[in-house]
Amino acid sequence: MVPSRSELALAASILIVEDEFLIANNLQRILSKAGYQVIGLAKTVAEAQRAIAQTPPDIVLLDIFLKGEQTGLDLVNWLNEQHIPFVFLSANLSDSVLEAAKVTQPFGFLNKPFRAKDVLTTLEIARYRHAHSAEARLRQQQQIQVAVNNAIITLHDRDQLSLAIAAQIDKLVPFSFLNLRIALPEDQSFYWVMLRKTALGTFERIHLPTLLGPNASDELLEKLHQETPDRLGAQPGIFTGPDFEALCKEYLTARAIHDTFGVRSLLVLPVVLKRRSFTNLQLARTDTAAFAPADYEAVNLVISQIALALDNLLACEEIDARRRLKTAELAVASAFQNGRTMAEITPQVAAAVSELLPGVDLLSIYRVGQVVDAGALNATVQKKDGRFMTLTAAELAPPATIAPLNWAQLVADMEPWLLQPTLNVGRQPAELQDQSPVAKLYGERLELRSSMYVPIVIKGQPVASLIVASKALYAFTHKDLQTLQSLSNELALALENLLAFERIKHLSEQLEQERTYLSEEIKTSHNFEEIIGTSPALLAVFDSIAQVAPTDYTVLITGETGTGKELVARAVHNLSGRTGRTMVKVNCAALPPQLIESELFGHERGSYTGATDQRIGKFELAHGSTIFLDEIGELPPELQAKLLRVLQEKEIERIGGKGPIVVDVRVIAATNRHLQEEVAAGRFRADLYYRLNVFPILVPPLRERPEDILPLTAHFLQRISKKLGKPLTGISQAMRQQLEHYTWPGNIRELEHVLERAAIMSRSTTLELPEPLVAGAVAPAPVAGGVVKSMQDAMRETILAALAKSNNRIRGQGGAAELLNLKPTTLESRMKKLQITSHR
């Protein structure tokens, strides 16, 4: 709705600038009659400025042609700066004067002589246009504020945010260049971005060497990369003409943008952030139109949004820096957990540090007191084709002209430097190389131009130094050095554990040497754990145990029931390098087939009905130790294949598990069956048998070692006497003769039970047999003649013979199916029914 004339005229003040009194007086009479307030009449530009300075009017009626040096065209620029609308008064306008007047954007024209109606109508339109243009500027400012706020939400990158700020401010106040400076003294960091408007109206970044030109000195470039080059921006304001020339004489960067890009006017505004900083925004122009106070005020309206955007950006960067630091710390900890040696650990540490500090080309963990030898090489890696690789001996070999002892001394001389947090960039690496032949050699050989090193302190003592280097001249900053110091704390914890493991390993080696010595002593006295006896057959078993125990090879213990196979397995384990952990025992015959897989390999929760909890299997429990599989011949066929995988791949998989689990387990198996016969009968896998039969130990039956019966008897009597609380001094002569002539089908276990029964029934300290031993207890030997077999056994033998003759081939010419005159499918069906597996 357009305001009425009375509303516009109400309390509106007008200044008339006219050098003809009659015309000015006539205008004053028309305006006063219409309700306007005429605050004065001015004949010159100077009188008009004094009147406006004393009482600013709402609108000015201005004659284009005034008497004196200055005309109405000279006054309008000042009126525009004051945001005061004006209407031109003229008589006869030439085309050139009219064009010059239009450029000033007047709010109307009145031609002499004036009619009251024309004057009042023109004033109404002028005031309405002025009010409308003010609202438009306000809306534009609000839109820019909204745009900057949007940048706060969406942009968390310094360069992108700077481009967004430049694009929005340019809509409000056009400019040619933008500088944004952020100096954070507490973080020892400095950021400076310079943007230039392109011909397309977009903005592009200008780097400092481009600004300063090709003749910039190394000292200046180093200063620009490390700190604020000058304090341009400490005093805000508008600098143009002589003021800008004075600025160029005092400040390097102002002179650079003047000389390189022809800047003529500079607008500088401070940006106040929540944290301590020296932050300012600079706008520059290269055209003749200088910045005006109105431009400063317009940009100042959005400075608060820019400050909020930068505060938000710095907060996000700080959060991201902490996240990346924590990620790097976890990666370092993981590297020490997954690697056993520094050769395995250092590349992983370097990859983690490189994610945090992308400029890293070399990383070394230097141990204090160690000369650069083969051991130290494992802790130095360099980036090659995007991956960190351990340096070779040739890459770190000292020069042939320096004696090894002298080289060791030169390396030792560098240790005090390496134990101080140091940043070497710019000219500092060259100065360091001049002082140290070691730094010079590696700097030139590996093309390193900047470096950092921080000490690794454990329990208050520096034990190592973390060194990173780069091929770039200014790869690192003081903030990077602080980051590396933070990372060294996590590295110290991980390295402390590694050093502890090294000490444990050293002590373990000493214990192993002692164990070897004791083992030799034990072997000399033929005393293996609880195995009693000195017979030649038993001494051969002792020799086998002593030979295989120090190795990690699989052992298969065979022998009749009751011969002491578990004692032999325990002796092998206790004399091995795994004796520090308990041997895990599994009786394959004591568990039902449905549960033995879970017992051996474990299961996950919910993997089958009744699996309410996760279960760790015996193999996983025996990691790093020995597992004893007793009665291995009773293992079901379907589990034999899984056991074979454990022996081959050294990994298991839980029932319902998501992936394999690597295990380090030594396997000792025992059986009283003839596994070769079981393989021939198809009840035991041949490939599993060969995997188990790496080192067989046959435990002789007691009837083959009669000289051990009396030592065993004395050993059992001592234990039985203590258990029963009876004094037992020995056995009678008759009992001794029976014990020596008995064949002992139950072997040592039967001997122990016979003595226990005699001790229970004895009424004296000398044992007597309560009943004579039956000599026929030994199982009769197989009949030499023909044996009647069942159909299934006969069919099994026939099929196995055919498979053996055909080299386990079923189909084709010469295959088992052809030999048996059967269809291959029929043969396969019968093999499946008889549980016969073809091993190709």
Side-chain angles (χ1 to χ4, degrees):
M1 180 178 178
V2 180
S4 64
R5 178 177 299 178
S6 60
E7 291 175 339
L8 288 171
L10 185 60
S13 59
I14 296 179
L15 174 66
I16 300 175
V17 184
E18 172 62 56
D19 55 2
E20 295 185 24
F21 175 77
L22 294 178
I23 296 176
N25 188 55
N26 184 38
L27 285 174
Q28 183 178 13
R29 181 182 56 81
I30 295 172
L31 296 174
S32 299
K33 185 178 180 181
Y36 287 95
Q37 178 185 0
V38 179
I39 63 173
L41 303 176
K43 296 180 181 180
T44 64
V45 172
E47 290 182 9
Q49 288 179 332
R50 286 195 297 270
I52 292 173
Q54 185 176 0
T55 306
D58 292 328
I59 194 167
V60 174
L61 295 180
L62 175 62
D63 189 3
I64 295 179
F65 302 103
L66 295 175
K67 295 178 181 179
E69 297 180 356
Q70 293 179 309
T71 66
L73 294 176
D74 297 320
L75 181 62
V76 295
N77 291 331
W78 187 76
L79 292 176
N80 283 328
E81 292 178 2
Q82 304 301 319
H83 299 290
I84 298 175
F86 58 91
V87 174
F88 275 130
L89 306 175
S90 63
N92 297 316
L93 291 178
S94 63
D95 292 340
S96 59
V97 174
L98 181 60
E99 290 300 324
K102 287 181 179 179
V103 172
T104 63
Q105 297 181 347
F107 287 83
F109 285 91
L110 284 173
N111 293 320
K112 303 175 184 179
F114 309 116
R115 293 189 305 172
K117 183 178 181 181
D118 295 337
V119 171
L120 297 178
T121 302
T122 301
L123 285 177
E124 291 175 8
I125 296 174
R127 293 193 62 202
Y128 177 78
R129 286 183 56 200
H130 175 67
H132 181 72
S133 62
E135 292 177 0
R137 281 199 306 273
L138 181 60
R139 285 196 300 270
Q140 185 183 23
Q141 292 172 359
Q142 292 174 344
Q143 290 174 355
I144 293 175
Q145 290 176 335
V146 171
V148 175
N149 284 328
N150 291 337
I152 295 173
I153 300 173
T154 58
L155 299 179
H156 293 156
D157 179 82
R158 292 189 180 187
D159 292 348
Q160 293 181 4
L161 180 59
S162 299
L163 289 170
I165 291 173
Q168 298 304 324
I169 293 179
D170 187 57
K171 297 177 182 178
L172 185 63
V173 177
F175 59 89
S176 303
F177 295 90
L178 178 142
N179 289 339
L180 176 63
R181 304 183 181 203
I182 305 174
L184 304 173
E186 296 177 357
D187 294 344
Q188 294 184 338
S189 65
F190 169 63
Y191 174 77
W192 181 13
V193 63
M194 184 174 185
L195 303 178
R196 173 173 57 185
K197 186 188 292 185
T198 65
L200 299 177
T202 59
F203 288 92
E204 63 180 4
R205 182 167 185 177
I206 297 177
H207 296 282
L208 295 177
T210 303
L211 171 64
L212 298 175
N215 298 324
S217 63
D218 292 338
E219 292 82 1
L220 178 58
L221 288 175
E222 180 178 353
K223 185 177 181 181
L224 291 175
H225 279 84
Q226 299 300 321
E227 59 183 7
T228 304
D230 54 41
R231 291 296 178 183
L232 177 60
Q235 295 181 354
I238 298 174
F239 302 90
T240 186
D243 293 337
F244 184 64
E245 295 295 335
L247 207 66
C248 292
K249 294 179 181 179
E250 184 176 359
Y251 295 105
L252 165 68
T253 52
R255 184 169 65 254
I257 60 176
H258 175 272
D259 296 343
T260 305
F261 301 114
V263 170
R264 300 184 180 182
S265 180
L266 188 67
L267 187 152
V268 182
L269 296 102
V271 182
V272 181
L273 303 182
K274 292 182 178 178
R275 58 193 304 180
R276 183 170 172 261
S277 69
F278 300 102
T279 304
N280 61 77
L281 181 70
Q282 302 172 15
L283 305 180
R285 278 180 175 171
T286 57
D287 53 11
T288 56
F291 288 107
D295 298 329
Y296 187 94
E297 294 299 328
V299 178
N300 195 42
L301 290 175
V302 297
I303 285 295
S304 59
Q305 276 71 33
I306 294 175
L308 183 59
L310 294 177
D311 280 327
N312 184 65
L313 172 68
L314 295 176
C316 291
E317 287 180 346
E318 184 176 356
I319 294 172
D320 184 66
R322 291 178 181 177
R323 178 191 60 78
R324 290 189 293 111
L325 179 60
K326 290 299 180 184
T327 301
E329 290 176 350
L330 291 175
V332 168
S334 176
F336 277 85
Q337 291 175 358
N338 298 331
R340 296 182 178 181
T341 64
M342 291 304 296
E344 299 175 350
I345 293 171
T346 309
Q348 301 180 51
V349 173
V353 175
S354 180
E355 291 293 327
L356 197 61
L357 306 173
V360 173
D361 290 315
L362 178 139
L363 182 140
S364 178
I365 301 176
Y366 175 78
R367 295 275 294 277
V368 174
Q370 285 192 349
V371 183
V372 181
D373 54 11
L377 295 181
N378 294 336
T380 303
V381 294
Q382 187 176 23
K383 184 179 290 185
K384 300 177 181 178
D385 298 328
R387 295 181 58 191
F388 285 96
M389 308 293 291
T390 302
L391 290 179
T392 63
E395 290 173 312
L396 281 182
T401 57
I402 302 179
L405 291 179
N406 294 337
W407 180 255
Q409 184 60 44
L410 290 174
V411 174
D413 292 341
M414 285 191 63
E415 284 191 2
W417 301 349
L418 299 177
L419 298 181
Q420 297 292 329
T422 306
L423 172 67
N424 292 318
V425 293
R427 294 188 304 168
Q428 292 173 331
E431 296 173 355
L432 177 64
Q433 292 177 11
D434 292 338
Q435 300 176 18
S436 171
V438 179
K440 183 177 182 63
L441 172 69
Y442 294 141
E444 295 177 351
R445 183 180 295 177
L446 303 177
E447 301 178 357
L448 304 174
R449 304 183 66 190
S450 58
S451 64
M452 293 190 299
Y453 32 83
V454 295
I456 301 176
V457 180
I458 299 178
K459 296 180 180 179
Q461 295 295 326
V463 298
S465 176
L466 176 60
I467 305 170
V468 297
S470 175
K471 296 181 179 180
L473 187 61
Y474 295 99
F476 310 115
T477 65
H478 288 284
K479 188 173 183 180
D480 294 333
L481 182 63
Q482 292 178 349
T483 301
L484 198 66
Q485 286 181 280
S486 300
L487 192 61
S488 68
N489 297 330
E490 181 65 30
L491 191 61
L493 295 176
L495 188 60
E496 182 179 9
N497 293 333
L498 182 66
L499 296 178
F501 286 135
E502 287 184 356
R503 289 193 294 269
I504 293 172
K505 181 180 178 182
H506 178 68
L507 293 175
S508 299
E509 291 175 353
Q510 290 182 339
L511 290 175
E512 188 62 29
Q513 293 174 357
E514 296 175 1
R515 184 186 301 280
T516 302
Y517 171 77
L518 293 175
S519 298
E520 293 297 327
E521 290 292 322
I522 292 173
K523 185 165 65 173
T524 302
S525 61
H526 306 298
N527 180 18
F528 278 79
E529 300 293 327
E530 298 179 359
I531 305 176
I532 307 299
T534 58
S535 63
L538 193 58
L539 291 180
V541 174
F542 290 164
D543 289 337
S544 298
I545 294 174
Q547 291 172 358
V548 76
T551 71
D552 266 345
Y553 287 108
T554 303
V555 178
L556 177 62
I557 305 173
T558 57
E560 297 178 6
T561 180
T563 53
K565 295 186 289 298
E566 182 178 340
L567 293 180
V568 174
R570 186 181 299 127
V572 171
H573 169 72
N574 290 341
L575 296 178
S576 71
R578 301 171 182 264
T579 184
R581 299 199 59 188
T582 305
M583 182 179 74
V584 178
K585 298 181 290 184
V586 179
N587 192 330
C588 299
L591 295 171
Q594 299 83 0
L595 297 180
I596 191 169
E597 180 177 4
S598 175
E599 184 74 15
L600 289 177
F601 308 122
H603 64 255
E604 298 289 346
R605 179 180 180 182
S607 56
Y608 58 85
T609 304
T612 56
D613 295 310
Q614 183 191 66
R615 179 185 179 87
I616 303 299
K618 289 294 193 292
F619 269 96
E620 197 172 347
L621 187 63
H623 180 70
S625 183
T626 304
I627 189 169
F628 175 50
L629 302 177
D630 198 9
E631 304 295 348
I632 190 67
E634 306 293 336
L635 195 66
E638 58 271 14
L639 288 181
Q640 294 177 17
K642 295 188 176 183
L643 178 59
L644 179 64
R645 180 190 175 189
V646 176
L647 296 175
Q648 289 177 339
E649 308 296 335
K650 302 297 183 182
E651 63 183 23
I652 64 168
E653 187 170 348
R654 297 177 189 161
I655 301 175
K658 296 182 180 179
I661 301 173
V662 177
V663 291
D664 176 23
V665 178
R666 181 183 190 173
V667 177
I668 300 178
T671 182
N672 58 5
R673 290 193 178 193
H674 297 285
L675 288 186
Q676 290 179 328
E677 296 179 2
E678 296 293 313
V679 171
R683 291 188 293 270
F684 201 85
R685 295 177 64 101
D687 46 5
L688 178 58
Y689 168 70
Y690 293 125
R691 282 284 182 180
L692 292 173
N693 197 37
V694 176
F695 193 93
I697 296 179
L698 174 62
V699 183
L702 188 57
R703 60 180 174 273
E704 294 181 5
R705 38 184 283 218
E707 49 270 85
D708 292 336
I709 293 177
L710 292 182
L712 286 169
T713 300
H715 171 74
F716 287 138
L717 282 180
Q718 184 179 3
R719 191 164 66 183
I720 294 170
S721 174
K722 185 177 180 180
K723 186 176 181 180
L724 294 178
K726 287 183 178 182
L728 301 176
T729 58
I731 60 175
S732 65
Q733 185 65 26
M735 181 176 179
R736 175 178 177 177
Q737 292 180 356
Q738 290 193 59
L739 295 179
E740 289 178 342
H741 292 88
Y742 185 57
T743 55
W744 297 109
N747 293 293
I748 300 173
R749 184 181 296 115
E750 184 182 5
L751 172 62
E752 182 180 12
H753 294 167
V754 167
L755 293 174
E756 287 175 344
R757 184 165 65 254
I760 293 172
M761 301 181 67
S762 174
R763 298 181 182 273
S764 65
T765 58
T766 303
L767 295 187
E768 295 282 353
L769 285 175
E771 55 187 20
L773 298 174
V774 179
V778 179
V783 180
V787 179
V788 179
K789 299 181 180 180
S790 65
M791 288 292 293
Q792 288 187 348
D793 291 342
M795 188 181 301
R796 178 189 296 275
E797 291 185 3
T798 303
I799 293 175
L800 289 173
L803 288 172
K805 188 173 182 179
S806 64
N807 196 19
N808 288 322
R809 189 159 50 87
I810 297 175
R811 300 173 180 270
Q813 185 176 2
E818 183 182 48
L819 295 176
L820 296 174
N821 196 21
L822 292 173
K823 292 182 179 181
T825 54
T826 303
L827 177 58
E828 290 173 346
S829 176
R830 293 184 181 180
M831 288 173 61
K832 184 177 181 181
K833 184 176 181 181
L834 294 173
Q835 297 183 349
I836 298 176
T837 305
S838 175
H839 305 288
R840 299 186 180 182

